Amino acid sequence: IITQLFGDVERLVNQEEYSKALRSIDKILQLNPTDNDSLYCKVITYVRLEKYQNALDLINKKFSNEDQLIFEKAYCLYRLNRLKEVTELLSKYHSKGNHDFGTRHLEAQVSYKLEEYDNALKVYYGLIQESNKNDDNNNILTNFNAVKAAAL
Amino acid sequence: KPLFFDIASNYINYPSNLSQR
Ligand SMILES: [K+]
């Protein structure tokens, strides 16, 4: 039955039926409250439904190691306009030697929004150095130029 | 104001092959 419910979740998210997907995820969690895949799917589904506080609460409750779901956590804080917390969280994460593309991209964007242009430029510059391997190349370059213009 | 692309939730994705679970 769990396999069938995961099949339902997969079909519903492909159809962008996120409220229905959430109901199927909750059915799995009733059967197995600690199922990590379901908990992770629930976080993503809250994000798709723009229920960022719910997503954040779930991450803090069920993925409580500080670097678990770091991008998801930072993204929710960003959407909740808690920008200072995002930069604190991500700069701490990056200072430990992590250099995920997504978290650095988010750090740069939030630095820009906080008008911390030096940091935004530094992070975007690093991303550009490696972004020819990445589909986000044009967006990164565009944002780098926007920060340069703002910093003048 | 120059164009600026907002990072999107497409950095956050469901695990693949959920139905294989
Ligand atoms: K978005």
Side-chain angles (χ1 to χ4, degrees):
Chain A
I1 180 150
I2 290 209
T3 301
Q4 190 191 326
L5 286 166
F6 271 113
D8 292 343
V9 173
E10 184 166 72
R11 178 176 50 80
L12 290 165
V13 302
N14 285 336
Q15 296 168 351
E16 302 185 14
E17 294 274 11
Y18 298 115
S19 299
K20 290 179 186 169
L22 198 56
R23 289 201 283 276
S24 294
I25 293 165
D26 281 334
K27 283 182 196 164
I28 300 171
L29 288 170
Q30 277 169 19
L31 298 168
N32 183 0
T34 60
D35 185 281
N36 245 29
D37 283 342
S38 318
L39 290 168
Y40 183 53
C41 286
K42 191 164 178 171
V43 169
I44 301 172
T45 303
Y46 278 141
V47 170
R48 294 286 187 270
L49 291 167
E50 301 186 17
K51 293 176 183 282
Y52 301 111
Q53 188 62 56
N54 294 31
L56 194 57
D57 291 344
L58 187 59
I59 293 169
N60 288 333
K61 194 168 163 200
K62 299 291 186 182
F63 298 90
S64 53
N65 289 349
E66 68 175 352
D67 291 345
Q68 269 188 308
L69 303 196
I70 183 90
F71 182 87
E72 291 81 354
K73 186 178 190 172
Y75 182 78
C76 290
L77 288 169
Y78 157 67
R79 295 302 300 251
L80 293 166
N81 214 27
R82 290 162 61 177
L83 302 185
K84 277 281 176 201
E85 287 170 77
V86 179
T87 49
E88 283 163 21
L89 183 72
L90 292 182
S91 60
K92 187 173 170 199
Y93 178 68
H94 295 141
S95 73
K96 289 190 279 187
N98 299 298
H99 59 281
D100 321 9
F101 198 92
T103 54
R104 286 187 295 150
H105 188 173
L106 185 54
E107 183 189 349
Q109 172 169 316
V110 171
S111 293
Y112 168 71
K113 291 192 187 278
L114 288 168
E115 302 185 5
E116 293 169 357
Y117 299 128
D118 285 352
N119 191 58
L121 286 172
K122 187 183 80 181
V123 179
Y124 277 130
Y125 186 75
L127 293 173
I128 288 165
Q129 303 306 105
E130 44 191 278
S131 64
N132 50 353
K133 316 166 227 164
N134 190 295
D135 291 341
D136 285 324
N137 195 0
N138 282 333
N139 292 355
I140 300 284
L141 264 178
T142 298
N143 288 2
F144 181 72
N145 287 321
V147 179
K148 274 202 298 191
L152 284 178
Chain B
K1 215 173 171 183
L3 187 61
F4 187 93
F5 288 105
D6 205 344
I7 199 167
S9 66
N10 59 15
Y11 270 98
I12 300 173
N13 290 301
Y14 288 93
S16 52
N17 298 322
L18 276 178
S19 56
Q20 313 290 305
R21 267 288 322 254

